[in-house]
mmCIF file of all heavy atoms in Angstrom:
data_model
loop_
_atom_site.group_PDB
_atom_site.id
_atom_site.type_symbol
_atom_site.label_atom_id
_atom_site.label_comp_id
_atom_site.label_asym_id
_atom_site.label_seq_id
_atom_site.Cartn_x
_atom_site.Cartn_y
_atom_site.Cartn_z
ATOM 1 N N MET A 105 9.741 0.227 21.188
ATOM 2 C CA MET A 105 8.787 -0.761 20.589
ATOM 3 C C MET A 105 7.527 -0.855 21.482
ATOM 4 O O MET A 105 6.456 -0.921 20.911
ATOM 5 C CB MET A 105 9.507 -2.147 20.553
ATOM 6 C CG MET A 105 10.670 -2.164 19.580
ATOM 7 S SD MET A 105 10.341 -1.834 17.884
ATOM 8 C CE MET A 105 9.397 -3.245 17.403
ATOM 9 N N LYS A 106 7.646 -0.863 22.770
ATOM 10 C CA LYS A 106 6.474 -0.838 23.627
ATOM 11 C C LYS A 106 5.542 0.415 23.362
ATOM 12 O O LYS A 106 4.316 0.331 23.498
ATOM 13 C CB LYS A 106 6.841 -0.873 25.127
ATOM 14 C CG LYS A 106 7.372 -2.170 25.554
ATOM 15 C CD LYS A 106 7.739 -2.083 27.085
ATOM 16 C CE LYS A 106 8.415 -3.365 27.557
ATOM 17 N NZ LYS A 106 8.864 -3.176 28.970
ATOM 18 N N LEU A 107 6.217 1.559 23.012
ATOM 19 C CA LEU A 107 5.375 2.768 22.803
ATOM 20 C C LEU A 107 4.838 2.842 21.391
ATOM 21 O O LEU A 107 4.216 3.801 21.060
ATOM 22 C CB LEU A 107 6.316 3.989 23.000
ATOM 23 C CG LEU A 107 6.656 4.244 24.500
ATOM 24 C CD1 LEU A 107 7.829 5.312 24.627
ATOM 25 C CD2 LEU A 107 5.422 4.675 25.264
ATOM 26 N N GLY A 108 5.093 1.815 20.591
ATOM 27 C CA GLY A 108 4.439 1.776 19.289
ATOM 28 C C GLY A 108 5.347 1.901 18.072
ATOM 29 O O GLY A 108 4.842 2.021 16.954
ATOM 30 N N ALA A 109 6.683 1.920 18.238
ATOM 31 C CA ALA A 109 7.545 1.963 17.093
ATOM 32 C C ALA A 109 7.368 0.646 16.302
ATOM 33 O O ALA A 109 7.273 -0.425 16.854
ATOM 34 C CB ALA A 109 8.985 2.112 17.557
ATOM 35 N N LYS A 110 7.371 0.766 15.004
ATOM 36 C CA LYS A 110 7.205 -0.405 14.212
ATOM 37 C C LYS A 110 8.597 -1.108 14.003
ATOM 38 O O LYS A 110 8.632 -2.328 13.893
ATOM 39 C CB LYS A 110 6.738 -0.013 12.739
ATOM 40 C CG LYS A 110 5.420 0.675 12.771
ATOM 41 C CD LYS A 110 4.354 -0.369 13.122
ATOM 42 C CE LYS A 110 2.995 0.308 13.042
ATOM 43 N NZ LYS A 110 1.924 -0.539 13.550
ATOM 44 N N ASN A 111 9.669 -0.366 14.117
ATOM 45 C CA ASN A 111 10.950 -0.852 13.960
ATOM 46 C C ASN A 111 11.995 0.117 14.442
ATOM 47 O O ASN A 111 11.719 1.318 14.340
ATOM 48 C CB ASN A 111 11.287 -1.233 12.472
ATOM 49 C CG ASN A 111 12.311 -2.284 12.308
ATOM 50 O OD1 ASN A 111 13.041 -2.619 13.258
ATOM 51 N ND2 ASN A 111 12.428 -2.845 11.126
ATOM 52 N N VAL A 112 13.050 -0.292 15.037
ATOM 53 C CA VAL A 112 14.164 0.589 15.553
ATOM 54 C C VAL A 112 15.472 0.017 15.094
ATOM 55 O O VAL A 112 15.786 -1.114 15.225
ATOM 56 C CB VAL A 112 14.091 0.673 17.066
ATOM 57 C CG1 VAL A 112 15.175 1.618 17.577
ATOM 58 C CG2 VAL A 112 12.759 1.144 17.571
ATOM 59 N N HIS A 113 16.259 0.884 14.496
ATOM 60 C CA HIS A 113 17.669 0.598 14.092
ATOM 61 C C HIS A 113 18.521 1.589 14.872
ATOM 62 O O HIS A 113 18.207 2.783 14.884
ATOM 63 C CB HIS A 113 17.862 0.733 12.632
ATOM 64 C CG HIS A 113 17.087 -0.241 11.826
ATOM 65 N ND1 HIS A 113 17.501 -1.570 11.576
ATOM 66 C CD2 HIS A 113 15.912 -0.116 11.214
ATOM 67 C CE1 HIS A 113 16.615 -2.127 10.883
ATOM 68 N NE2 HIS A 113 15.636 -1.345 10.580
ATOM 69 N N VAL A 114 19.626 1.095 15.370
ATOM 70 C CA VAL A 114 20.593 1.945 15.985
ATOM 71 C C VAL A 114 21.884 1.817 15.396
ATOM 72 O O VAL A 114 22.422 0.649 15.337
ATOM 73 C CB VAL A 114 20.717 1.667 17.574
ATOM 74 C CG1 VAL A 114 21.685 2.660 18.236
ATOM 75 C CG2 VAL A 114 19.314 1.811 18.205
ATOM 76 N N VAL A 115 22.479 2.813 14.849
ATOM 77 C CA VAL A 115 23.793 2.814 14.137
ATOM 78 C C VAL A 115 24.821 3.469 14.952
ATOM 79 O O VAL A 115 24.660 4.720 15.243
ATOM 80 C CB VAL A 115 23.634 3.432 12.721
ATOM 81 C CG1 VAL A 115 24.893 3.382 11.920
ATOM 82 C CG2 VAL A 115 22.449 2.877 11.934
ATOM 83 N N PRO A 116 25.948 2.798 15.273
ATOM 84 C CA PRO A 116 27.006 3.554 15.900
ATOM 85 C C PRO A 116 27.761 4.411 14.988
ATOM 86 O O PRO A 116 27.888 4.114 13.801
ATOM 87 C CB PRO A 116 27.923 2.390 16.424
ATOM 88 C CG PRO A 116 27.613 1.226 15.500
ATOM 89 C CD PRO A 116 26.197 1.390 15.051
ATOM 90 N N ALA A 117 28.176 5.582 15.470
ATOM 91 C CA ALA A 117 28.783 6.549 14.568
ATOM 92 C C ALA A 117 29.888 7.284 15.402
ATOM 93 O O ALA A 117 29.955 7.236 16.622
ATOM 94 C CB ALA A 117 27.764 7.489 14.009
ATOM 95 N N ILE A 118 30.711 8.048 14.658
ATOM 96 C CA ILE A 118 31.733 8.867 15.241
ATOM 97 C C ILE A 118 31.475 10.244 14.788
ATOM 98 O O ILE A 118 31.238 10.591 13.640
ATOM 99 C CB ILE A 118 33.111 8.456 14.755
ATOM 100 C CG1 ILE A 118 33.383 6.983 15.044
ATOM 101 C CG2 ILE A 118 34.207 9.334 15.363
ATOM 102 C CD1 ILE A 118 33.508 6.645 16.533
ATOM 103 N N THR A 119 31.486 11.222 15.775
ATOM 104 C CA THR A 119 31.204 12.629 15.482
ATOM 105 C C THR A 119 32.511 13.386 15.455
ATOM 106 O O THR A 119 33.648 12.771 15.507
ATOM 107 C CB THR A 119 30.272 13.230 16.555
ATOM 108 O OG1 THR A 119 31.034 13.255 17.786
ATOM 109 C CG2 THR A 119 29.011 12.525 16.664
ATOM 110 N N LYS A 120 32.369 14.664 15.425
ATOM 111 C CA LYS A 120 33.589 15.506 15.390
ATOM 112 C C LYS A 120 34.524 15.223 16.600
ATOM 113 O O LYS A 120 34.027 14.804 17.632
ATOM 114 C CB LYS A 120 33.258 16.990 15.357
ATOM 115 C CG LYS A 120 32.497 17.515 16.492
ATOM 116 C CD LYS A 120 32.105 18.946 16.343
ATOM 117 C CE LYS A 120 31.290 19.349 17.530
ATOM 118 N NZ LYS A 120 30.765 20.652 17.409
ATOM 119 N N LYS A 121 35.800 15.369 16.413
ATOM 120 C CA LYS A 121 36.759 15.068 17.450
ATOM 121 C C LYS A 121 36.763 13.668 17.916
ATOM 122 O O LYS A 121 37.198 13.332 18.987
ATOM 123 C CB LYS A 121 36.599 16.063 18.642
ATOM 124 C CG LYS A 121 36.741 17.506 18.213
ATOM 125 C CD LYS A 121 36.596 18.420 19.434
ATOM 126 C CE LYS A 121 36.727 19.912 18.997
ATOM 127 N NZ LYS A 121 36.583 20.796 20.140
ATOM 128 N N GLY A 122 36.228 12.744 17.019
ATOM 129 C CA GLY A 122 36.233 11.307 17.409
ATOM 130 C C GLY A 122 35.287 10.884 18.490
ATOM 131 O O GLY A 122 35.498 9.819 19.089
ATOM 132 N N ARG A 123 34.330 11.633 18.755
ATOM 133 C CA ARG A 123 33.356 11.257 19.791
ATOM 134 C C ARG A 123 32.333 10.228 19.319
ATOM 135 O O ARG A 123 31.829 10.392 18.257
ATOM 136 C CB ARG A 123 32.629 12.498 20.298
ATOM 137 C CG ARG A 123 33.518 13.522 20.952
ATOM 138 C CD ARG A 123 32.711 14.690 21.503
ATOM 139 N NE ARG A 123 33.622 15.709 21.981
ATOM 140 C CZ ARG A 123 33.557 16.975 21.722
ATOM 141 N NH1 ARG A 123 32.566 17.460 20.966
ATOM 142 N NH2 ARG A 123 34.450 17.842 22.295
ATOM 143 N N PRO A 124 32.054 9.275 20.172
ATOM 144 C CA PRO A 124 31.094 8.218 19.699
ATOM 145 C C PRO A 124 29.611 8.724 19.905
ATOM 146 O O PRO A 124 29.399 9.597 20.787
ATOM 147 C CB PRO A 124 31.350 7.033 20.694
ATOM 148 C CG PRO A 124 31.871 7.703 21.905
ATOM 149 C CD PRO A 124 32.698 8.897 21.443
ATOM 150 N N GLU A 125 28.745 8.265 19.044
ATOM 151 C CA GLU A 125 27.310 8.566 19.169
ATOM 152 C C GLU A 125 26.556 7.400 18.583
ATOM 153 O O GLU A 125 27.097 6.495 17.971
ATOM 154 C CB GLU A 125 26.999 9.877 18.424
ATOM 155 C CG GLU A 125 26.863 9.729 16.987
ATOM 156 C CD GLU A 125 26.300 10.971 16.282
ATOM 157 O OE1 GLU A 125 25.826 11.875 17.019
ATOM 158 O OE2 GLU A 125 26.276 10.998 15.075
ATOM 159 N N HIS A 126 25.215 7.455 18.814
ATOM 160 C CA HIS A 126 24.304 6.438 18.279
ATOM 161 C C HIS A 126 23.266 7.198 17.519
ATOM 162 O O HIS A 126 22.710 8.213 17.873
ATOM 163 C CB HIS A 126 23.629 5.657 19.380
ATOM 164 C CG HIS A 126 24.558 4.821 20.169
ATOM 165 N ND1 HIS A 126 25.257 5.356 21.272
ATOM 166 C CD2 HIS A 126 24.983 3.542 20.026
ATOM 167 C CE1 HIS A 126 25.991 4.395 21.815
ATOM 168 N NE2 HIS A 126 25.885 3.343 21.090
ATOM 169 N N ILE A 127 23.034 6.704 16.279
ATOM 170 C CA ILE A 127 21.963 7.269 15.403
ATOM 171 C C ILE A 127 20.763 6.387 15.540
ATOM 172 O O ILE A 127 20.811 5.210 15.118
ATOM 173 C CB ILE A 127 22.393 7.501 13.954
ATOM 174 C CG1 ILE A 127 23.655 8.362 13.902
ATOM 175 C CG2 ILE A 127 21.333 8.074 13.116
ATOM 176 C CD1 ILE A 127 24.297 8.345 12.633
ATOM 177 N N PHE A 128 19.644 6.842 16.046
ATOM 178 C CA PHE A 128 18.427 6.111 16.120
ATOM 179 C C PHE A 128 17.530 6.348 14.950
ATOM 180 O O PHE A 128 17.184 7.512 14.690
ATOM 181 C CB PHE A 128 17.694 6.461 17.431
ATOM 182 C CG PHE A 128 18.254 5.872 18.696
ATOM 183 C CD1 PHE A 128 19.397 6.406 19.241
ATOM 184 C CD2 PHE A 128 17.685 4.752 19.274
ATOM 185 C CE1 PHE A 128 19.927 5.883 20.418
ATOM 186 C CE2 PHE A 128 18.216 4.208 20.437
ATOM 187 C CZ PHE A 128 19.332 4.753 20.981
ATOM 188 N N LEU A 129 17.224 5.299 14.248
ATOM 189 C CA LEU A 129 16.217 5.382 13.148
ATOM 190 C C LEU A 129 14.987 4.629 13.596
ATOM 191 O O LEU A 129 15.026 3.402 13.845
ATOM 192 C CB LEU A 129 16.798 4.737 11.923
ATOM 193 C CG LEU A 129 18.085 5.359 11.439
ATOM 194 C CD1 LEU A 129 18.798 4.449 10.432
ATOM 195 C CD2 LEU A 129 17.916 6.712 10.852
ATOM 196 N N ILE A 130 13.915 5.337 13.729
ATOM 197 C CA ILE A 130 12.717 4.783 14.385
ATOM 198 C C ILE A 130 11.567 4.900 13.382
ATOM 199 O O ILE A 130 11.127 5.994 12.980
ATOM 200 C CB ILE A 130 12.377 5.574 15.670
ATOM 201 C CG1 ILE A 130 13.548 5.580 16.606
ATOM 202 C CG2 ILE A 130 11.084 4.961 16.321
ATOM 203 C CD1 ILE A 130 13.455 6.622 17.698
ATOM 204 N N ASP A 131 11.024 3.747 12.974
ATOM 205 C CA ASP A 131 9.859 3.744 12.097
ATOM 206 C C ASP A 131 8.599 3.724 12.897
ATOM 207 O O ASP A 131 8.472 2.947 13.889
ATOM 208 C CB ASP A 131 9.843 2.400 11.255
ATOM 209 C CG ASP A 131 10.988 2.284 10.301
ATOM 210 O OD1 ASP A 131 11.601 3.341 10.033
ATOM 211 O OD2 ASP A 131 11.322 1.191 9.896
ATOM 212 N N SER A 132 7.680 4.627 12.604
ATOM 213 C CA SER A 132 6.420 4.727 13.388
ATOM 214 C C SER A 132 5.304 5.289 12.586
ATOM 215 O O SER A 132 5.585 5.893 11.539
ATOM 216 C CB SER A 132 6.679 5.582 14.659
ATOM 217 O OG SER A 132 6.720 6.936 14.288
ATOM 218 N N GLU A 133 4.165 5.058 13.070
ATOM 219 C CA GLU A 133 2.978 5.729 12.517
ATOM 220 C C GLU A 133 2.891 7.171 13.068
ATOM 221 O O GLU A 133 3.537 7.487 14.053
ATOM 222 C CB GLU A 133 1.642 4.997 12.928
ATOM 223 C CG GLU A 133 1.632 3.523 12.492
ATOM 224 C CD GLU A 133 1.487 3.356 10.932
ATOM 225 O OE1 GLU A 133 0.990 4.318 10.359
ATOM 226 O OE2 GLU A 133 1.955 2.365 10.446
ATOM 227 N N GLU A 134 2.256 8.010 12.256
ATOM 228 C CA GLU A 134 2.209 9.448 12.724
ATOM 229 C C GLU A 134 1.550 9.608 14.058
ATOM 230 O O GLU A 134 1.944 10.529 14.837
ATOM 231 C CB GLU A 134 1.367 10.207 11.621
ATOM 232 C CG GLU A 134 1.516 11.683 11.805
ATOM 233 C CD GLU A 134 0.968 12.498 10.659
ATOM 234 O OE1 GLU A 134 0.792 11.913 9.595
ATOM 235 O OE2 GLU A 134 0.584 13.672 10.918
ATOM 236 N N GLU A 135 0.567 8.691 14.432
ATOM 237 C CA GLU A 135 -0.066 8.818 15.675
ATOM 238 C C GLU A 135 0.852 8.622 16.885
ATOM 239 O O GLU A 135 0.542 9.049 17.987
ATOM 240 C CB GLU A 135 -1.180 7.781 15.770
ATOM 241 C CG GLU A 135 -2.299 7.954 14.743
ATOM 242 C CD GLU A 135 -1.920 7.317 13.386
ATOM 243 O OE1 GLU A 135 -1.165 6.399 13.344
ATOM 244 O OE2 GLU A 135 -2.315 7.976 12.366
ATOM 245 N N THR A 136 1.913 7.896 16.747
ATOM 246 C CA THR A 136 2.809 7.618 17.907
ATOM 247 C C THR A 136 4.020 8.523 17.896
ATOM 248 O O THR A 136 4.846 8.378 18.832
ATOM 249 C CB THR A 136 3.274 6.136 17.876
ATOM 250 O OG1 THR A 136 3.895 5.835 16.676
ATOM 251 C CG2 THR A 136 2.089 5.168 18.088
ATOM 252 N N LEU A 137 4.214 9.345 16.923
ATOM 253 C CA LEU A 137 5.368 10.193 16.819
ATOM 254 C C LEU A 137 5.642 11.099 18.062
ATOM 255 O O LEU A 137 6.751 11.129 18.560
ATOM 256 C CB LEU A 137 5.277 11.126 15.575
ATOM 257 C CG LEU A 137 6.377 12.071 15.248
ATOM 258 C CD1 LEU A 137 7.667 11.259 15.065
ATOM 259 C CD2 LEU A 137 6.125 12.911 14.056
ATOM 260 N N ASP A 138 4.593 11.741 18.559
ATOM 261 C CA ASP A 138 4.800 12.546 19.751
ATOM 262 C C ASP A 138 5.291 11.810 20.925
ATOM 263 O O ASP A 138 6.191 12.217 21.666
ATOM 264 C CB ASP A 138 3.517 13.315 20.059
ATOM 265 C CG ASP A 138 3.169 14.452 19.041
ATOM 266 O OD1 ASP A 138 4.101 14.865 18.366
ATOM 267 O OD2 ASP A 138 2.010 14.769 19.019
ATOM 268 N N SER A 139 4.681 10.650 21.222
ATOM 269 C CA SER A 139 5.098 9.919 22.428
ATOM 270 C C SER A 139 6.492 9.323 22.307
ATOM 271 O O SER A 139 7.290 9.343 23.266
ATOM 272 C CB SER A 139 4.093 8.793 22.690
ATOM 273 O OG SER A 139 4.053 7.880 21.710
ATOM 274 N N LEU A 140 6.858 9.006 21.083
ATOM 275 C CA LEU A 140 8.206 8.458 20.794
ATOM 276 C C LEU A 140 9.278 9.533 20.976
ATOM 277 O O LEU A 140 10.295 9.413 21.578
ATOM 278 C CB LEU A 140 8.302 7.703 19.467
ATOM 279 C CG LEU A 140 7.477 6.483 19.273
ATOM 280 C CD1 LEU A 140 7.498 6.117 17.797
ATOM 281 C CD2 LEU A 140 8.026 5.373 20.121
ATOM 282 N N ALA A 141 8.960 10.663 20.409
ATOM 283 C CA ALA A 141 9.883 11.883 20.523
ATOM 284 C C ALA A 141 9.997 12.316 21.942
ATOM 285 O O ALA A 141 11.106 12.606 22.404
ATOM 286 C CB ALA A 141 9.371 13.040 19.636
ATOM 287 N N GLU A 142 8.906 12.327 22.674
ATOM 288 C CA GLU A 142 8.935 12.712 24.106
ATOM 289 C C GLU A 142 9.830 11.723 24.923
ATOM 290 O O GLU A 142 10.571 12.107 25.702
ATOM 291 C CB GLU A 142 7.554 12.779 24.720
ATOM 292 C CG GLU A 142 7.480 13.219 26.081
ATOM 293 C CD GLU A 142 6.083 13.246 26.688
ATOM 294 O OE1 GLU A 142 5.122 13.176 25.893
ATOM 295 O OE2 GLU A 142 5.949 13.375 27.900
ATOM 296 N N PHE A 143 9.653 10.459 24.634
ATOM 297 C CA PHE A 143 10.429 9.372 25.357
ATOM 298 C C PHE A 143 11.944 9.665 25.058
ATOM 299 O O PHE A 143 12.744 9.647 26.009
ATOM 300 C CB PHE A 143 10.000 8.025 24.861
ATOM 301 C CG PHE A 143 10.881 6.942 25.361
ATOM 302 C CD1 PHE A 143 10.777 6.502 26.702
ATOM 303 C CD2 PHE A 143 11.863 6.416 24.612
ATOM 304 C CE1 PHE A 143 11.605 5.496 27.206
ATOM 305 C CE2 PHE A 143 12.730 5.390 25.083
ATOM 306 C CZ PHE A 143 12.592 4.929 26.365
ATOM 307 N N MET A 144 12.262 9.883 23.798
ATOM 308 C CA MET A 144 13.698 10.065 23.486
ATOM 309 C C MET A 144 14.232 11.322 24.166
ATOM 310 O O MET A 144 15.371 11.270 24.671
ATOM 311 C CB MET A 144 13.889 10.145 21.989
ATOM 312 C CG MET A 144 13.749 8.830 21.195
ATOM 313 S SD MET A 144 14.867 7.493 21.814
ATOM 314 C CE MET A 144 16.398 8.082 21.172
ATOM 315 N N ALA A 145 13.454 12.346 24.205
ATOM 316 C CA ALA A 145 13.949 13.569 24.898
ATOM 317 C C ALA A 145 14.134 13.355 26.400
ATOM 318 O O ALA A 145 15.175 13.719 26.950
ATOM 319 C CB ALA A 145 12.917 14.695 24.715
ATOM 320 N N LEU A 146 13.163 12.655 27.012
ATOM 321 C CA LEU A 146 13.312 12.431 28.481
ATOM 322 C C LEU A 146 14.388 11.437 28.845
ATOM 323 O O LEU A 146 15.128 11.592 29.859
ATOM 324 C CB LEU A 146 11.962 11.955 28.966
ATOM 325 C CG LEU A 146 10.781 12.984 28.986
ATOM 326 C CD1 LEU A 146 9.514 12.270 29.358
ATOM 327 C CD2 LEU A 146 11.134 14.114 29.920
ATOM 328 N N GLU A 147 14.560 10.362 28.055
ATOM 329 C CA GLU A 147 15.467 9.330 28.395
ATOM 330 C C GLU A 147 16.878 9.618 27.953
ATOM 331 O O GLU A 147 17.772 9.137 28.592
ATOM 332 C CB GLU A 147 15.023 8.023 27.783
ATOM 333 C CG GLU A 147 13.793 7.448 28.413
ATOM 334 C CD GLU A 147 14.063 6.905 29.808
ATOM 335 O OE1 GLU A 147 15.196 6.367 30.112
ATOM 336 O OE2 GLU A 147 13.154 6.999 30.620
ATOM 337 N N THR A 148 17.079 10.376 26.913
ATOM 338 C CA THR A 148 18.424 10.565 26.359
ATOM 339 C C THR A 148 18.856 12.039 26.383
ATOM 340 O O THR A 148 20.069 12.313 26.118
ATOM 341 C CB THR A 148 18.537 10.119 24.897
ATOM 342 O OG1 THR A 148 17.780 10.934 24.046
ATOM 343 C CG2 THR A 148 18.083 8.636 24.721
#
């Protein structure tokens, strides 16, 4: 949100072999897409 996301939803999910994961749905303007993607890559 600080980096400019308009809204963030996180959905818990189960992947193959019963592994937990989180699905991040991030609403943003096109101008902030690169910084948000870079943040997710570096942090997660």
Side-chain angles (χ1 to χ4, degrees):
M105 296 298 289
K106 286 180 187 175
L107 288 170
K110 299 290 183 190
N111 206 345
V112 179
H113 295 277
V114 182
V115 181
I118 303 293
T119 66
K120 62 184 177 185
K121 300 182 183 178
R123 296 181 183 134
E125 78 169 352
H126 296 88
I127 301 170
F128 282 78
L129 302 165
I130 306 162
D131 296 338
S132 74
E133 300 292 334
E134 192 171 339
E135 298 80 33
T136 58
L137 181 60
D138 287 339
S139 62
L140 294 170
E142 181 180 349
F143 172 79
M144 288 302 288
L146 293 172
E147 289 291 325
T148 69

